[in-house]
Amino acid sequence: MRHDRAEYDLGRVQVAVLAKAPLAGLAKTRLIPALGPRGAARLQRQFTRSTVRTAQAAGLGPVTLWCTPDARHRSFRALHRTTGVTCLAQAGGDRGDRVHQAFSFHCPHGPLLLIGTDCPPLTPSHLRQAARALLDGNDAVFHPAEDGGYVLVGLRRPQPALFEKMPWSTRDVMVQTRSRARSLGLRLCEFETLWDVDVPADLDRFHAHAAAAGGAGAVAVAP
């Protein structure tokens, strides 16, 4: 019965996507040596569109796109027109501040899954699985990333201590997050480790993944 109830209540679980505007020199900067500033920006635009489609295909609750530096970029406006996704501006501060902002905003209305835009293997099924785990009573759910961080975090209510003074973009993020969750007495659920696209060495894997998915997603390498 509990599993059936979780299935019935999936629409309670919201999804927030953190996204940078596809601006040359701002988006995917670690890929610029391989793609050039404009190529990296094009890839960011592609990733954002794909992630919004994935989030909506999961059939959960409302999907919101949290945008930086603001929500006025034409690609964000186009996504709003074509998908109906709500676009909001991220706050200032570090990544922890922006993540906590999203949970503080959404959790009064129900559990929230928060994802970025650079994890091609993340599927609607992953999102539904994480949503069920929250509805089953877990306080926090994660999909760790191979680089030591995580590509998905879900919470039933805001937990600012999970994000304060975190050494972001290091291999210690998930280890420290796990330790903090346990010290807070949170019921934690972790799913399979996934990979994301951050550095030029990740592009071959992305191209292979895109080809296996039907050939979409190829990006040009800068000369």
Side-chain angles (χ1 to χ4, degrees):
M1 283 297 293
R2 192 174 191 180
H3 180 74
D4 291 342
R5 180 169 177 76
E7 290 280 2
Y8 179 79
D9 287 345
L10 284 180
R12 291 176 48 211
V13 182
Q14 307 157 90
V15 183
V17 181
L18 298 184
K20 284 186 177 180
L23 296 169
L26 172 72
K28 304 306 295 179
T29 54
R30 286 185 285 175
L31 294 178
I32 288 176
L35 303 178
R38 292 183 180 179
R42 285 193 296 270
L43 184 60
Q44 173 64 17
R45 183 171 59 247
Q46 176 183 323
F47 278 172
T48 302
R49 288 198 305 259
S50 177
T51 302
V52 169
R53 288 196 297 266
T54 295
Q56 292 184 327
L60 304 178
V63 177
T64 304
L65 189 65
W66 287 85
C67 310
T68 189
D70 54 54
R72 295 176 294 178
H73 191 275
R74 62 181 180 274
S75 70
F76 295 145
R77 297 199 306 268
L79 271 173
H80 173 68
R81 288 194 305 270
T82 58
T83 69
V85 67
T86 298
C87 297
L88 300 173
Q90 293 184 35
D94 69 5
R95 188 181 305 178
D97 295 325
R98 298 192 297 272
V99 169
H100 178 58
Q101 175 196 25
F103 283 108
S104 295
F105 181 89
H106 288 288
C107 284
H109 309 289
L112 176 70
L113 302 178
L114 185 142
I115 57 178
T117 60
D118 53 4
C119 181
L122 187 71
T123 67
S125 293
H126 290 127
L127 295 173
R128 288 191 292 269
Q129 176 181 244
R132 292 186 192 104
L134 289 177
L135 294 174
D136 277 342
N138 291 284
D139 299 303
V141 298
F142 292 91
H143 269 287
E146 289 182 355
D147 63 8
Y150 48 80
V151 299
L152 177 151
V153 51
L155 298 175
R156 294 174 61 85
R157 57 187 58 86
Q159 301 289 347
L162 290 180
F163 312 114
E164 294 171 345
K165 298 181 180 179
M166 180 65 69
W168 300 106
S169 301
T170 72
R171 298 198 66 84
D172 294 330
V173 171
M174 190 64 227
V175 171
Q176 290 201 26
T177 302
R178 191 181 292 119
S179 175
R180 292 183 187 191
R182 289 170 178 161
S183 69
L184 291 167
L186 301 182
R187 182 178 172 186
L188 179 65
C189 180
E190 290 188 39
F191 294 106
E192 66 181 295
T193 299
L194 300 174
W195 53 273
D196 51 17
V197 179
D198 284 327
V199 297
D202 299 324
L203 290 172
D204 286 343
R205 193 177 195 177
F206 167 59
H207 283 285
H209 174 84
V219 292
V221 177

